Amino acid sequence: MAPAESWWQTAVVYQVYIRSFADGNGDGVGDIAGLRDRLPYLARLGVDAIWINPWYPSPLADGGYDVADYRDVEPLYGTLPEADLVIAEAHEAGIRVLLDIVPNHSSDQHRWFVAALAGDPKARQRYHFRDGLGPDGALPPNDWQSVFGGPAWTRVPDGQWYLHLFAPGQPDFNWENPEVRAEFEDVLAFWFDKGVDGFRIDVAHGLVKADGLPDGGQGNDAAPGLVQHNESHPAWDQDGVHDVYRGWRTVANRYAPERIFIAEAWVPNNERLARYLRFDELHTAFQFDFLRAPWRASILRTVVDDAIKEAASVGAPPTWVLSNHDVTRTVTRYARSQPDHLIETDWERSRWAEEPADYALGLRRARAAALMQLALPGTAYVYQGEELGLEEVEDLPNEVRQDPIWEQSGHTDVGRDGCRVPLPWSGDTAPLGFSTNPDATTWLPQPQHWASHTAAAQDRDPDSTLNLYREALSVRATTWVGAGELEWIPTAPEVAAFRRGDAQCWVNTGEKPVELPTDATVVLASVAGTANQLPADAAVWLVAD
Ligand code: GLC
């Protein structure tokens, strides 16, 4: 008999972008109080765990991925005692809690970097400080570019340069320094001691850089990027990083119940990804190919096969992600013409947005994709607002944009604010129930038409996307969890259909309806009224009679 599965091998994890989830203190910014108020909503939705984006003190140069203190909570979001409360209350509601750890870089306000800037040589060793090139050192030490645009180096008043693969306010740690290693192992223990069930690891492939920080070289000197990172680069995915995670696993293994890790690692292929999942390293890693896949059955099939195969090679569960706080929302991604290859760089969103969007079509496909995602073996991540069928807000006024990509790209990329707009909960006018204060101005403005997308409005509509997710999560628990291996059912090329045990999932990405098997009964469909035929851009779950 196969060993019993642990919760994290089949979990549905809901991503809470805390700044935009719910505002409990009336200032227009989401917070822990708001999250606590909404735990019953999450329990009713049926998720197994939440992953909370960084909630640590931060100047918010990159939405909190610039951490000033890893052992505290950002005052805008609440206090450490409130963090303890939300962890305990989530557990009472049967929901596990994953935090987001940001080990590649700190904020420039972190006490270590402040000391480094003041000139303390020991403190500089914890980051990457170098002299510049050229006779007067006025050129950056190498050709690396920031993921967000511009050089990855900033010069300080005394003439040295420091490395930041992201914003200048996010200096990269030097992971060759044992103090950095010890510090992070201690931070993990700090939160594990508070009962946190695990961590999502930010930029997990970035920590260790190639010895001597060599140039990326020809063809590689442009932004190494996250999504479009197809070639090897001395800034990313270095073998030395695995040693860090062996140390982290040792820390996690000291705890019961199990504490787990999920890596965000944009590596070139699933083979490289699987290396992070060896038995003495991390438990799971996001497989982003699913999120990059266009709405085409042939590509979806390949992506699924590849992900399952590579995860299985190291005994890890595959993970499925349709969107997150860094990419265009699913509805919008599916609302335009679909390429015939994986989307190389979502960060070209500004150019893409020039094509008109058909949101009804996008939503229809997103609902179908959700049924596919939730039927696959392994774990599924749901980004807040996916369950409401929200689209990307593409027309934010430029003056409200906060994502550093907007400035660093020289205003050529609008950045990621459009998927981070505060959630609509109820009512007809902004802040749409997001805040306890009806007069609050939300930190990013909500579109007026989201009044019809609110959780309250969808609660009343049996065919809403919210109710589809609720039902899917409940049926998943009894139908798909533990259902065994996936086997494809031969079908038309524009259909992806698979069976796991007695259950089947059919997805039609084509333009014409397809006949469904007659020896199975529909248990859930993305389009109401589906019985013998599966319409275009729809998905269905069936159970053999
Ligand atoms: C990850 C985060 C993203 C952040 C970046 C730098 O990709 O998901 O939001 O900007 O790391 O920390």
Side-chain angles (χ1 to χ4, degrees):
M1 225 177 78
E5 286 177 315
S6 296
W7 66 270
W8 53 270
Q9 294 176 297
T10 57
V12 175
V13 183
Y14 185 94
Q15 180 187 350
V16 175
Y17 194 78
I18 187 158
R19 203 178 180 185
S20 300
F21 184 68
D23 169 22
N25 74 350
D27 63 359
V29 179
D31 49 32
I32 295 179
L35 174 55
R36 290 175 62 200
D37 286 346
R38 301 292 179 176
L39 285 173
Y41 169 87
L42 295 174
R44 166 85 209 280
L45 182 58
V47 301
D48 303 295
I50 51 177
W51 146 36
I52 306 171
N53 285 98
W55 64 2
Y56 317 101
S58 167
L60 301 176
D62 180 23
Y65 283 94
D66 47 321
V67 178
D69 181 353
Y70 291 85
R71 294 183 188 78
D72 204 347
V73 167
E74 163 59 36
L76 269 175
Y77 303 149
T79 62
L80 214 43
E82 283 181 280
D84 289 325
L85 285 173
V86 77
I87 295 165
E89 290 166 2
H91 286 166
E92 273 162 40
I95 298 172
R96 285 165 162 114
V97 180
L98 308 178
L99 297 186
D100 203 322
I101 185 111
V102 189
N104 182 67
H105 43 262
S106 69
S107 158
D108 60 357
Q109 305 298 309
H110 189 281
R111 67 193 159 81
W112 278 6
F113 194 76
V114 172
L117 269 195
D120 174 354
K122 208 170 159 253
R124 286 206 178 180
Q125 293 300 320
R126 299 176 186 134
Y127 295 90
H128 294 283
F129 276 83
R130 292 285 186 283
D131 293 332
L133 302 179
D136 50 2
L139 297 172
N142 69 20
D143 67 0
W144 298 2
Q145 298 288 299
S146 154
V147 171
F148 294 161
W153 295 91
T154 290
R155 201 169 193 193
V156 302
D158 64 31
Q160 277 211 310
W161 298 74
Y162 70 88
L163 175 71
H164 53 85
L165 291 176
F166 295 88
Q170 295 171 294
D172 279 50
F173 281 117
N174 170 17
W175 276 86
E176 304 302 336
N177 185 330
E179 285 178 357
V180 172
R181 297 193 180 218
E183 170 70 1
F184 272 90
E185 293 190 2
D186 193 65
V187 166
L188 295 177
F190 175 86
W191 291 103
F192 284 155
D193 287 342
K194 291 190 170 298
V196 160
D197 299 281
F199 285 93
R200 176 259 189 194
I201 306 171
D202 187 61
V203 201
H205 59 314
L207 280 46
V208 173
K209 279 75 177 172
D211 262 355
L213 312 183
D215 280 350
Q218 266 259 295
N220 244 342
D221 55 352
L226 282 178
V227 184
Q228 70 271 42
H229 166 50
N230 278 326
E231 300 164 62
S232 65
H233 187 285
W236 304 109
D237 194 28
Q238 299 296 306
D239 288 345
V241 79
H242 297 285
D243 198 44
V244 172
Y245 299 131
R246 283 183 206 110
W248 287 23
R249 183 62 177 254
T250 309
V251 176
N253 286 350
R254 295 206 301 259
Y255 289 83
E258 239 175 337
R259 305 296 206 268
I260 63 128
F261 296 110
I262 166 109
E264 182 216 24
W266 296 89
V267 294
N269 53 54
N270 282 323
E271 207 180 317
R272 295 295 302 180
L273 196 62
R275 294 161 55 89
Y276 290 76
L277 305 178
R278 290 174 288 196
F279 78 98
D280 56 348
E281 296 190 40
L282 307 176
H283 302 74
T284 56
F286 294 121
Q287 279 159 325
F288 289 121
D289 287 353
F290 198 58
L291 154 164
R292 297 171 51 205
W295 185 243
R296 290 180 185 275
S298 57
I299 297 180
L300 289 169
R301 280 194 300 264
T302 309
V303 160
V304 165
D305 276 341
D306 194 40
I308 291 177
K309 188 180 97 212
E310 287 306 333
S313 75
V314 281
T319 57
W320 310 105
V321 189
L322 281 173
S323 82
N324 61 31
H325 65 293
D326 289 329
V327 300
T328 301
R329 278 199 177 272
T330 316
V331 168
T332 303
R333 178 154 53 86
Y334 290 148
R336 297 200 165 96
S337 59
Q338 300 295 296
D340 57 7
H341 50 76
L342 290 189
I343 297 161
E344 273 308 309
T345 160
D346 183 76
W347 302 36
E348 282 182 47
R349 52 183 77 70
S350 307
R351 203 171 64 211
W352 200 19
E354 284 164 17
E355 191 187 318
D358 179 344
Y359 292 124
L361 178 65
L363 178 59
R364 190 178 162 99
R365 290 171 171 170
R367 289 167 57 105
L371 290 197
M372 179 169 187
Q373 175 194 28
L374 295 169
L376 291 167
T379 58
Y381 281 76
V382 177
Y383 176 46
Q384 67 178 41
E386 261 175 28
E387 83 282 19
L388 301 177
L390 298 186
E391 75 276 10
E392 183 85 0
V393 182
E394 292 181 307
D395 58 355
L396 286 171
N398 288 339
E399 57 284 5
V400 305
R401 296 192 189 284
Q402 309 239 350
D403 185 352
I405 289 182
W406 170 241
E407 287 301 330
Q408 280 185 243
S409 70
H411 299 177
T412 57
D413 184 339
V414 293
R416 302 161 293 179
D417 294 312
C419 64
R420 301 173 175 180
V421 172
L423 289 192
W425 289 96
S426 60
D428 297 319
T429 50
L432 295 172
F434 172 74
S435 178
T436 47
N437 167 9
D439 298 322
T441 305
T442 53
W443 73 276
L444 287 173
Q446 301 160 310
Q448 178 53 44
H449 76 269
W450 276 12
S452 60
H453 286 355
T454 62
Q458 297 201 34
D459 186 49
R460 297 187 290 265
D461 172 3
D463 295 331
S464 69
T465 303
L466 176 58
N467 280 320
L468 178 71
Y469 266 88
R470 285 173 172 164
E471 218 173 323
L473 264 54
S474 125
V475 176
R476 169 188 164 92
T478 50
T479 304
W480 297 108
V481 171
E485 288 189 13
L486 174 148
E487 188 194 326
W488 294 107
I489 302 169
T491 52
E494 57 283 358
V495 174
F498 60 84
R499 138 178 334 113
R500 294 178 58 209
D502 284 345
Q504 298 178 22
C505 174
W506 286 61
V507 185
N508 183 3
T509 68
E511 288 169 2
K512 292 198 205 84
V514 294
E515 294 300 317
L516 288 168
T518 49
D519 56 353
T521 305
V522 171
V523 290
L524 193 60
S526 67
V527 171
T530 301
N532 305 328
Q533 283 199 329
L534 179 61
D537 299 308
V540 75
W541 289 355
L542 306 157
V543 174
D545 295 333

